[in-house]
Amino acid sequence: MIDNDERKIVEEEIARLERLWQDAQERYGYTGSRSTNRTMTKYRVIMNALELVLNDERYARLEEDRNQMLNRLMEAKHLVQRMAQAGRIPADVANVVVMELVR
């Protein structure tokens, strides 16, 4: 996973490429040259790749958070089941709680 400093660097590079792309777009509007068009395409491809890196990182963090939450829910389920087996809570209450946790 990338840290906040690395994320900032990537975001700054995306912003820099966006400015370069806009400048190239203005030049293309005046000249219509193929080289400017290729330059614009190059900037757009690089920006898209960097944005994918950031998005993949966000999805990875969301997935990690989701997995942690699922683990906590399973721990709670097992705790309720153990408490019911020990007679500390009624079995019917434990069943309702477990069903709600796994729903």
Side-chain angles (χ1 to χ4, degrees), residues 24-66:
Q25 187 179 32
E26 287 178 22
R27 279 193 311 278
Y28 182 73
Y30 294 125
T31 65
S33 73
R34 294 178 68 131
S35 65
T36 303
N37 190 28
R38 283 193 306 272
T39 299
M40 288 170 46
T41 301
K42 177 181 75 171
Y43 291 148
R44 179 55 57 198
V45 167
I46 295 169
M47 285 187 303
N48 288 343
L50 291 173
E51 288 169 355
L52 281 174
V53 168
L54 290 180
N55 288 334
D56 285 347
E57 184 67 23
R58 289 182 188 123
Y59 291 133
R61 286 187 180 162
L62 286 174
E63 183 71 19
E64 183 179 314
D65 291 346
R66 185 186 72 84

Side-chain angles (χ1 to χ4, degrees):
M1 288 193 170
I2 61 176
D3 62 26
N4 287 337
D5 291 336
E6 292 169 338
R7 177 180 302 284
K8 185 177 178 182
I9 291 168
V10 172
E11 288 171 345
E12 288 171 355
E13 184 63 14
I14 290 171
R16 184 184 76 81
L17 290 167
E18 181 69 32
R19 288 188 302 274
L20 290 171
W21 182 85
Q22 288 173 355
D23 291 345
Q25 187 179 32
E26 287 178 22
R27 279 193 311 278
Y28 182 73
Y30 294 125
T31 65
S33 73
R34 294 178 68 131
S35 65
T36 303
N37 190 28
R38 283 193 306 272
T39 299
M40 288 170 46
T41 301
K42 177 181 75 171
Y43 291 148
R44 179 55 57 198
V45 167
I46 295 169
M47 285 187 303
N48 288 343
L50 291 173
E51 288 169 355
L52 281 174
V53 168
L54 290 180
N55 288 334
D56 285 347
E57 184 67 23
R58 289 182 188 123
Y59 291 133
R61 286 187 180 162
L62 286 174
E63 183 71 19
E64 183 179 314
D65 291 346
R66 185 186 72 84
N67 288 338
Q68 287 176 359
M69 183 59 70
L70 288 174
N71 288 337
R72 288 186 193 130
L73 285 172
M74 292 307 293
E75 290 170 8
K77 173 188 166 198
H78 293 294
L79 177 62
V80 168
Q81 289 171 332
R82 285 194 309 271
M83 290 179 75
Q85 289 171 351
R88 298 187 68 195
I89 59 174
D92 58 337
V93 171
N95 288 335
V96 170
V97 170
V98 167
M99 293 307 289
E100 287 298 315
L101 286 173
V102 296
R103 180 168 75 129

